[in-house]
Amino acid sequence: MTVPFSILDLATIGKGQTAAESFAGSVAMAQRAEELGYRRVWYAEHHNMSSIASSATSVLIAHVAAHTNSIRLGAGGVMLPNHSPLTIAEQFGTLETLHPGRIDLGLGRAPGSDQNTMRALRRDPMSADSFPQDVLELQGYLTGPTRIQGVEATPGKGTNVPLYILGSSLFGARLAAQLGLPYAFASHFAPDALQDAVAIYRREFRPSAQLEAPHVIAGVNVIAADSTSEAQEMFQATKRARVSLFFGNGRVFSDDEADMILDSPQGQHVSRMVKYSAIGTPDVVMDYLEEFTAHADADELIVAHQSTATDARLRSVELLAAAAGLARV
């Protein structure tokens, strides 16, 4: 492969697992990724989801950073309308001060939750409308000059934490191009606009102090296993878990119930979400990823290793690294 590989760690809480066990798995994954030559690991802000432990994203990044040495870590991403730009600048300025040269800040504008949770977060329903202005305000706190006279981020000012725009639509592509920032497309769960968004981003990109040329990061699901049947079984388990997450309202469906829902028109939504998925033995996975890289016109792949079990995710991380020829530290 000619593009670097990174990891999106969803901090999954598996069946019968605790959040503490999920965090231990995230540390183990970052340590293995560092050893095997992955470029970065990102964590996403989600709320009110019983199977995802990365709600306090900056806190998780700090914990993992304290247990690793060199790999880049960051948010993929922080949902900026849930927060004030100053607060995020202070958090990530603190992270960069503690772990210099290792911190990324990806920014999205979705709630990362449902409507009730959005209210619990005290989020203004109109806050997404000011996302472009909030990105610029945040950038000012980190790089200077501040856009709010007399207000500085401490820590934060002068840390120059690199920003990334995350998106699954044409809006994010145009904003990233206009601001001259890297663009990460969430094709691992929202595949529909991938090619159109990347084309717009590359066509409209304007160089900036942070970035001279466009940089596209494309998300893709991966389950690399020692056998095809094992990979397919894990993929089916992953889809079943999504059925419970999206349709269970707190209930966990049995395998038979989940499979019935997956076969229904309602359940086809889950299959469409994971359209871009490399599932199988390492050689099959690599063939798929080479084709996907060209299809997405990507400069970097961020891989979501999609098994519900920690050991299986770590095995997938290892098999992919070996097949891709990543450089060990």
Side-chain angles (χ1 to χ4, degrees), residues 194-267:
L194 171 62
Q195 288 184 299
D196 288 343
V198 171
I200 286 173
Y201 169 69
R202 290 194 179 281
R203 184 172 64 245
E204 299 184 5
F205 180 84
R206 302 175 185 172
S208 68
Q210 178 178 325
L211 192 65
E212 293 183 358
H215 186 83
V216 172
I217 304 174
V220 60
N221 302 297
V222 166
I223 299 177
D226 293 294
S227 70
T228 300
S229 60
E230 183 184 1
Q232 290 296 337
E233 287 172 10
M234 288 189 283
F235 191 38
Q236 188 68 11
T238 297
K239 290 188 285 186
R240 288 168 180 160
R242 291 199 180 200
V243 167
S244 294
L245 180 64
F246 295 131
F247 305 122
N249 293 319
R251 175 188 171 193
V252 177
F253 293 111
S254 69
D255 289 351
D256 288 342
E257 290 171 332
D259 289 343
M260 287 179 61
I261 295 171
L262 285 169
D263 289 337
S264 71
Q266 184 184 30

Side-chain angles (χ1 to χ4, degrees), residues 11-230:
T12 302
I13 304 174
K15 187 180 295 186
Q17 195 178 45
T18 65
E21 290 168 329
S22 170
F23 295 147
S26 290
V27 169
M29 179 179 286
Q31 289 173 337
R32 289 299 287 140
E34 182 174 83
E35 293 168 3
L36 294 170
Y38 286 84
R39 172 171 285 188
R40 67 184 97 239
V41 182
W42 280 359
Y43 308 90
E45 177 187 349
H46 292 283
H47 300 282
N48 194 32
M49 293 187 179
S50 60
S51 61
I52 297 177
S54 52
S55 53
T57 313
S58 59
V59 180
L60 178 56
I61 293 168
H63 177 65
V64 176
H67 289 82
T68 52
N69 298 308
S70 58
I71 193 167
R72 296 195 68 88
L73 301 166
V78 162
M79 300 300 107
L80 189 54
N82 291 344
H83 314 273
S84 75
L86 177 60
T87 297
I88 297 303
E90 291 168 341
Q91 290 176 5
F92 280 79
T94 298
L95 287 169
E96 174 64 23
T97 301
L98 292 170
H99 307 283
R102 296 182 57 199
I103 303 301
D104 300 328
L105 177 48
L107 302 169
R109 65 177 183 137
S113 60
D114 55 34
Q115 294 297 315
N116 286 336
T117 307
M118 192 168 78
R119 286 194 288 273
L121 289 166
R122 303 298 189 266
R123 171 172 169 155
D124 183 340
M126 303 304 292
S127 57
D129 294 344
S130 62
F131 180 66
Q133 292 76 28
D134 289 346
V135 171
L136 289 172
E137 182 182 335
L138 172 57
Q139 188 177 50
Y141 291 134
L142 294 171
T143 63
T146 178
R147 290 175 176 262
I148 306 297
Q149 186 174 0
V151 178
E152 305 280 5
T154 306
K157 182 180 180 180
T159 56
N160 297 304
V161 176
L163 302 184
Y164 298 74
I165 299 297
L166 277 59
S168 58
S169 69
L170 307 187
F171 175 89
R174 289 195 168 97
L175 179 62
Q178 178 184 352
L179 299 182
L181 296 176
Y183 180 52
F185 192 89
S187 34
H188 63 291
F189 76 89
D192 292 346
L194 171 62
Q195 288 184 299
D196 288 343
V198 171
I200 286 173
Y201 169 69
R202 290 194 179 281
R203 184 172 64 245
E204 299 184 5
F205 180 84
R206 302 175 185 172
S208 68
Q210 178 178 325
L211 192 65
E212 293 183 358
H215 186 83
V216 172
I217 304 174
V220 60
N221 302 297
V222 166
I223 299 177
D226 293 294
S227 70
T228 300
S229 60
E230 183 184 1

